[in-house]
Amino acid sequence: MKYFSTRGHAARPEFCDILLGGLAPDGGLYLPESFPAVSRAELDAWRHLPYADLAFEILSKFITDIPADDLRDICARTYTANIYRHARTGDDPTRIVPLRWLEPGKLGLLALSNGPTLAFKDMAMQLLGNLFEYVLTKRGETINILGATSGDTGSAAEYAMRGKSHVKVFMLSPHGKMSAFQRAQMYSLADENIFNIAVTGMFDDAQDIVKAVSSDAAFKARHRIGAVNSINWARIAAQVVYYFHGYFAATSSNAQQVAFCVPTGNFGNIFAGHVARCMGLPVARLILATNENDVLGEFFRTGVYRPRKASETHVTSSPSMDISKASNFERFIFDLVDRNPATVAGLWKEVDAGGAFDLSDTPFFTRLPEFGIVSGTSTHADRLATIREVHARHGVMIDPHTADGVKVASRHAADLPDGVPLLVMETAQPAKFADTLREALGRDPEIPADLQGLEALPQRVEVMPPDVDAVKAFIAARA
Ligand SMILES: *Cc1c(COP(=O)(O)O)cnc(C)c1O
């Protein structure tokens, strides 16, 4: 399988080449040349596969430059009960991603957040960790991953890369701005290849430093700086797997359809759903759920995509969805505009210059319903009420991001064809967002047994002013 840029660059790299890079040379995002079609016979053969085997079947369609036996081994090591605590403690160790029905056959939660950091990002990041180590070892290369996080991404990346040979992680976070639990998750890691830098500033200051360091081409080349951000195609490919798994878990035959509701930030998770649907998975609807930062909902309603300035972004109780622009959205627009790179390049010329685009008067907007995506949004009050309601009716605690999904799903459930189950992606565990849970329920969420006492562990973090040269010096001394 070859890959190409959404903006039309002539290069056609293979998977292992785009794995370690970020954007395409022309600033576009990589996509596979086609979304491989999955036959009905394949769906039948896959229906009862354990998660790791299903992952191998799907990933081997996108990854053709790693020998099958090696890829199978990587999948087996990634999707194992040792890593996914639910499989460890639940009644069926093969169930990496259990489906929990709230209303049997109708409404369920796809439990994606049972990995090491209690957010669904582990599902993709754990695979990335093993793929990086495999490819770098083969090539005799090393990489220094540089990133900025406001919480979930940084911890998922560190837990995926900890102890891996050939990889070091330099993760910037805003000093004192993450929850105590999130800080403990990152800063308590004792692995020698993990470096936490707390910047005395906001998340945007940390992000700006990463951009400044990454745009210094000489520094980047000398210190082999890489990234694991959400535009990485391998992360999308890994996420396609759980759409198939969720479908099989919710249905009893491949003649049935299913719908998914996805709490959305950078459009990575839901884009993976779009890919699964394009591959032939019987998906009736993808429901895009946003919070007060409704940049994407606005597009699906009006045809106008208007990224906000970072300063216009609302700080909400579902912080992992607090985005000003959606970094993966370009991939979807590429499909919407008939896969025409020149059109995409033209639209993103506006976006990259701080502007917006409007497709409302084009045939593309008229055809948008064919893509099966509808949207909805929630407020803080909606999320609190939903957390209370789900707890009262089903005895289940959900986190504020998942609550956003459940709320938006409830508005769309009636529009689905009869007999189509609706699965809400459970993107994080309530333990990560104790303040909001306390506000909703007047009590603390449960902390998984293996993470109790985490906040009391010694922490290792370098506090620094938001200064590009200081960060560069820190990296240069350790990379
Ligand atoms: C990252 C994240 C999201 C948003 O996912 P995208 O792929 O960026 O759309 C939603 N919820 C949680 C808990 C997250 O960590």
Side-chain angles (χ1 to χ4, degrees):
M1 176 70 78
K2 297 257 200 283
Y3 289 80
F4 66 94
S5 163
T6 48
R7 300 191 195 172
H9 192 273
R12 291 287 180 276
E14 294 209 65
F15 178 84
C16 291
D17 297 313
I18 65 160
L19 173 68
L20 302 172
L23 294 172
D26 56 359
L29 274 60
Y30 282 116
L31 276 173
E33 277 189 323
S34 65
F35 295 139
V38 172
S39 67
R40 187 64 187 270
E42 274 173 310
L43 278 186
D44 289 340
W46 293 356
R47 176 163 274 280
H48 300 290
L49 288 182
Y51 197 91
D53 295 347
L54 179 64
F56 167 75
E57 295 295 339
I58 292 170
L59 291 171
S60 61
K61 293 189 178 288
F62 293 109
I63 307 175
T64 50
D65 54 344
I66 294 179
D69 285 349
D70 293 354
L71 187 59
R72 197 183 281 283
D73 175 61
I74 289 169
C75 290
R77 284 189 286 119
T78 302
Y79 300 109
T80 151
N82 296 333
I83 292 175
Y84 292 89
R85 64 176 47 69
H86 198 85
R88 204 160 62 218
T89 56
D91 43 10
D92 180 355
T94 63
R95 297 284 298 280
I96 303 296
V97 176
L99 168 62
R100 279 194 220 116
W101 290 114
L102 297 181
E103 295 165 34
K106 280 192 166 165
L107 180 67
L109 296 176
L110 195 59
L112 301 174
S113 54
N114 294 300
T117 72
L118 308 184
F120 84 100
K121 290 190 171 66
D122 290 328
M123 295 300 302
M125 211 66 98
Q126 288 288 322
L127 179 76
L128 219 61
N130 287 326
L131 285 171
F132 268 48
E133 187 176 53
Y134 173 84
V135 171
L136 289 165
T137 305
K138 276 229 146 159
R139 294 182 172 184
E141 293 172 11
T142 60
I143 199 167
N144 293 294
I145 293 167
L146 174 64
T149 186
S150 55
D152 292 342
T153 307
S155 54
E158 292 188 352
Y159 277 75
M161 304 294 169
R162 63 186 296 197
K164 294 266 184 282
S165 59
H166 302 250
V167 185
K168 287 178 185 163
V169 178
F170 295 86
M171 191 60 64
L172 277 59
S173 51
H175 183 52
K177 301 289 188 303
M178 299 190 298
S179 74
F181 188 82
Q182 286 177 319
R183 279 200 302 274
Q185 277 188 307
M186 289 177 59
Y187 304 163
S188 69
L189 286 178
D191 305 81
E192 281 175 9
N193 67 330
I194 303 294
F195 300 94
N196 286 301
I197 303 172
V199 175
T200 51
M202 307 297 287
F203 168 70
D204 289 317
D205 298 311
Q207 179 91 322
D208 286 346
I209 294 173
V210 169
K211 281 188 195 146
V213 175
S214 306
S215 61
D216 178 343
F219 185 88
K220 196 176 167 195
R222 180 156 8 105
H223 298 293
R224 303 167 309 281
I225 303 293
V228 290
N229 45 26
S230 69
I231 54 137
N232 190 302
W233 169 260
R235 285 180 60 180
I236 306 282
Q239 295 179 146
V240 170
V241 177
Y242 55 66
Y243 282 88
F244 281 84
H245 173 80
Y247 171 75
F248 294 134
T251 58
S252 52
S253 110
N254 295 329
Q256 284 173 269
Q257 285 192 313
V258 76
F260 294 97
C261 182
V262 191
T264 299
N266 274 317
F267 208 82
N269 196 352
I270 194 167
F271 185 75
H274 165 74
V275 174
R277 187 172 181 268
C278 291
M279 291 170 75
L281 189 71
V283 177
R285 207 90 86 229
L286 290 168
I287 302 170
L288 178 146
T290 62
N291 63 17
E292 288 84 345
N293 297 291
D294 189 33
V295 188
L296 288 166
E298 189 174 273
F299 173 80
F300 283 92
R301 284 193 309 276
T302 66
V304 176
Y305 179 54
R306 187 171 72 82
R308 308 300 201 258
K309 294 189 185 62
S311 60
E312 289 176 277
T313 305
H314 303 270
V315 176
T316 76
S317 51
S318 44
S320 300
M321 298 160 64
D322 291 350
I323 53 116
S324 46
K325 61 172 83 162
S327 53
N328 268 296
F329 196 46
E330 181 171 342
R331 288 188 162 118
F332 177 75
I333 292 295
F334 180 80
D335 275 356
L336 182 66
V337 301
D338 291 332
R339 312 200 112 213
N340 184 332
T343 309
V344 173
L347 295 173
W348 256 267
K349 209 171 150 198
E350 301 296 325
V351 170
D352 289 342
F357 61 73
D358 180 356
L359 298 183
S360 62
D361 275 340
T362 67
F364 306 128
F365 189 59
T366 321
R367 282 201 346 240
L368 190 54
E370 290 170 24
F371 289 79
I373 300 180
V374 294
S375 74
T377 182
S378 77
T379 63
H380 178 63
D382 288 333
R383 292 187 291 276
L384 292 183
T386 305
I387 290 170
R388 278 186 211 113
E389 194 180 309
V390 170
H391 188 247
R393 286 179 56 186
H394 308 288
V396 176
M397 277 199 202
I398 55 174
D399 96 292
H401 304 79
T402 309
D404 170 85
V406 172
K407 174 69 197 177
V408 172
S410 72
R411 286 205 208 101
H412 285 279
D415 303 335
L416 290 175
D418 270 352
V420 173
L422 174 48
L423 305 190
V424 176
M425 297 307 200
E426 178 205 72
T427 56
Q429 286 294 303
K432 275 196 125 160
F433 301 97
D435 288 351
T436 304
L437 268 288
R438 228 174 278 131
E439 189 182 345
L441 300 174
R443 56 190 266 199
D444 282 344
E446 264 177 47
I447 309 282
D450 58 315
L451 293 176
Q452 284 170 17
L454 186 74
E455 289 177 36
L457 293 177
Q459 299 191 0
R460 206 169 52 106
V461 59
E462 185 83 12
V463 181
M464 268 192 215
D467 177 71
V468 176
D469 289 328
V471 172
K472 277 184 176 170
F474 182 88
I475 295 170
R478 291 162 183 83

